Amino acid sequence: MSDQTPHDRTSGTTHFGFRDVPTGDKQKLVGQVFSSVAGNYDLMNDLMSMGVHRVWKRFFVATAQVRRGDRVLDLAGGTGDIALLLRDRVGDAGSIVLGDINGDMLRVGRDRMVDKGKVAGFEYVQMNAQALPFPDASFDLVTIAFGLRNVTDKDAALREMQRVLKVGGQARVLEFSEVTQDWFKPIYDFHSFKVLPRLGKLFAGDADSYQYLAESIRKHPPQDELKAMMGEAGFARCDYRNLSGGIVAIHTGYKV
């Protein structure tokens, strides 16, 4: 199920995890979650993916259509994992804009880059993915990793990603998706809803945020639905690739 069904648009409600909330409240509620987990973001991803998120991210970047000198927008950039991996691929002549709607996440990402001595070639912009502050055709590549499911209006965000891409540019979405093997689904559900919140409480003192993150995965459009949404947003040659049996999927689209 997508984040906003036709009924949701007319009634002014949307999903926040398994709860229905006023559409205007979701951004604030999601912001509270990520402000809460910002200091433990790597821990959060390790708990959610059992550490495999690092492999997924490396594959996501390694298979991206990007060259030296390209300008890249990394949406929901979090603590900079994707931007850091992309830096060597765009080279000194390239640049990466790390964007996030959450100022706490953006500060963590900037501080991490500075601590690593990675300063040149990065810009940090607090922005809403549904209304990007850039002219048309500004970027060669737009990425969003583990962020699209938290956007209130995913269709608007996808249209904006398409708008700011140059002709021939690529958009890539890395997101938790729908598990493809029936035998694995109950194991995955047990980890998501029973184990993960307890780990969040134990290691980060925050069970509720981890509960929301697990629920948000189940409310995210499954693979074929998101592929169709990218086509409706104006992307061409839309496709996806499942990783780890559909726990996550990489969606790709092009501007032509």
Side-chain angles (χ1 to χ4, degrees), residues 103 127 162 200 232:
M127 66 181 77
Q162 196 270 353
E232 291 168 3

PDB file of all heavy atoms in Angstrom, residues 103 127 162 200 232:
ATOM      1  N   GLY A 103      17.292  18.726  10.465  1.00  0.00           N
ATOM      2  CA  GLY A 103      18.529  19.436  10.755  1.00  0.00           C
ATOM      3  C   GLY A 103      19.477  18.659  11.644  1.00  0.00           C
ATOM      4  O   GLY A 103      20.702  18.756  11.489  1.00  0.00           O
ATOM      5  N   MET A 127      16.247  20.489   3.335  1.00  0.00           N
ATOM      6  CA  MET A 127      15.240  20.622   2.283  1.00  0.00           C
ATOM      7  C   MET A 127      14.169  19.568   2.445  1.00  0.00           C
ATOM      8  O   MET A 127      14.369  18.520   3.066  1.00  0.00           O
ATOM      9  CB  MET A 127      15.894  20.478   0.907  1.00  0.00           C
ATOM     10  CG  MET A 127      16.461  19.088   0.627  1.00  0.00           C
ATOM     11  SD  MET A 127      17.256  18.948  -0.989  1.00  0.00           S
ATOM     12  CE  MET A 127      18.821  19.765  -0.653  1.00  0.00           C
ATOM     13  N   GLN A 162      12.629  13.756 -10.630  1.00  0.00           N
ATOM     14  CA  GLN A 162      12.659  13.740 -12.090  1.00  0.00           C
ATOM     15  C   GLN A 162      12.913  15.138 -12.645  1.00  0.00           C
ATOM     16  O   GLN A 162      13.678  15.316 -13.598  1.00  0.00           O
ATOM     17  CB  GLN A 162      11.335  13.168 -12.629  1.00  0.00           C
ATOM     18  CG  GLN A 162      11.370  12.732 -14.077  1.00  0.00           C
ATOM     19  CD  GLN A 162      10.987  13.843 -15.039  1.00  0.00           C
ATOM     20  OE1 GLN A 162      10.565  14.922 -14.640  1.00  0.00           O
ATOM     21  NE2 GLN A 162      11.141  13.568 -16.331  1.00  0.00           N
ATOM     22  N   GLY A 200      16.050  -1.448  20.310  1.00  0.00           N
ATOM     23  CA  GLY A 200      16.053   0.009  20.345  1.00  0.00           C
ATOM     24  C   GLY A 200      15.981   0.541  21.759  1.00  0.00           C
ATOM     25  O   GLY A 200      16.670   1.504  22.118  1.00  0.00           O
ATOM     26  N   GLU A 232       4.883   6.841 -13.484  1.00  0.00           N
ATOM     27  CA  GLU A 232       3.881   7.908 -13.464  1.00  0.00           C
ATOM     28  C   GLU A 232       4.509   9.272 -13.172  1.00  0.00           C
ATOM     29  O   GLU A 232       3.980  10.306 -13.588  1.00  0.00           O
ATOM     30  CB  GLU A 232       2.814   7.590 -12.413  1.00  0.00           C
ATOM     31  CG  GLU A 232       1.940   6.395 -12.790  1.00  0.00           C
ATOM     32  CD  GLU A 232       1.088   5.916 -11.621  1.00  0.00           C
ATOM     33  OE1 GLU A 232       1.140   6.560 -10.549  1.00  0.00           O
ATOM     34  OE2 GLU A 232       0.391   4.897 -11.781  1.00  0.00           O
TER      35      GLU A 232
END
